[in-house]
Amino acid sequence: MADSRRVVMGRPREFVIDDALERAMQVFWERGYEGVSLTSLAKAMGITKPSLYAAFGDKKELFRKALERYTEGPAAYGTRALDEPTARGVAEAILHGAVRTTTRPGGPAGCLGVQGALASSDVGRPAHDMLVEWRNTSALRLEERFRRALDEGDLPRDADPRRLARYVMSVSFGIAVQAASGLGRDELQDIADMALESLERWLPSEGSGRP
């Protein structure tokens, strides 16, 4: 009975923590790691600083948890894209997903994983290093997916999975930077479409066939 009461009593706190982490993610996304203090984070999250430390640890750990939430939430299109049946579908899902995510109505423009700590002092170095690893991991997973496509005959023999992955990720991250600079969804979609056209030799659109 006592154990049951503890579980029931614990549920509301979990939901509060979840909501607070969502708010922290939004703040980091909009203002970056160094652009926000613990005091302003706690205020935005609707909790006290002692509660923040107790629930999330220090600022670095809070940022790590916010980045994980971002990866599993707004940026989950990147993971889902890898399940597309063709390499072309993978590239389309990533670039189109980048356009949608970086221009969400009512949300911060750009990408937390790109501008969260593009330039930082020693204070922001932990966040900078986290995001470098985050971007590199994303590129590596895409390279592995393209390598599988090459093995399956879905890519031509002269295709280089690493170069293709770097190109697609560079365009994706560039879309995020342009979104943060004020470009609208239609303009960014045009950039994505142009990038896909440039990849037609290796990633032909449906029905176009191989050159």
Side-chain angles (χ1 to χ4, degrees):
M1 182 67 72
D3 289 342
S4 299
R5 282 199 300 269
R6 279 198 294 270
V7 172
V8 172
M9 292 175 64
R11 284 177 181 167
R13 185 171 183 273
E14 289 175 3
F15 287 124
V16 170
I17 287 177
D18 192 62
D19 292 343
L21 184 56
E22 175 70 20
R23 296 188 193 105
M25 181 194 74
Q26 295 289 334
V27 173
F28 280 130
W29 190 350
E30 182 177 4
R31 297 169 60 182
Y33 182 82
E34 289 194 49
V36 60
S37 67
L38 275 173
T39 300
S40 57
L41 273 168
K43 183 177 180 180
M45 295 163 72
I47 60 178
T48 64
K49 284 178 69 174
S51 295
L52 188 156
Y53 282 117
F56 301 103
D58 59 14
K59 184 179 178 182
K60 180 181 73 172
E61 288 307 310
L62 176 59
F63 184 79
R64 186 188 304 278
K65 290 180 173 67
L67 182 59
E68 290 173 355
R69 185 176 183 87
Y70 178 77
T71 304
E72 296 168 359
Y77 69 87
T79 300
R80 292 194 299 268
L82 302 178
D83 293 329
E84 290 291 326
T86 65
R88 171 75 182 203
V90 172
E92 287 181 347
I94 288 175
L95 295 181
H96 293 168
V99 172
R100 290 192 305 272
T101 300
T102 59
T103 57
R104 296 198 313 171
C111 169
L112 171 61
V114 174
Q115 68 250 28
L118 278 178
S120 59
S121 66
D122 289 342
V123 173
R125 193 71 193 180
H128 174 274
D129 292 345
M130 272 186 243
L131 296 184
V132 168
E133 181 181 1
W134 185 85
R135 292 191 294 269
N136 288 342
T137 298
S138 298
L140 179 59
R141 293 178 67 193
L142 182 57
E143 177 187 339
E144 291 171 347
R145 176 62 181 85
F146 283 157
R147 199 168 297 282
R148 192 183 91 200
L150 181 64
D151 294 339
E152 294 173 349
D154 185 40
L155 284 174
R157 292 182 179 179
D158 63 341
D160 186 326
R162 177 173 295 181
R163 291 181 66 195
L164 285 173
R166 286 177 175 173
Y167 178 76
V168 171
M169 296 309 299
S170 293
V171 175
S172 173
F173 295 147
I175 285 172
V177 173
Q178 292 289 0
S181 299
L183 260 64
R185 179 170 291 195
D186 290 344
E187 294 170 300
L188 296 172
Q189 186 61 56
D190 186 53
I191 292 173
D193 292 341
M194 289 180 65
L196 289 168
E197 288 175 9
S198 73
L199 290 169
E200 192 72 20
R201 173 185 171 188
W202 297 279
L203 305 173
S205 52
E206 186 176 351
S208 65
R210 294 286 183 197

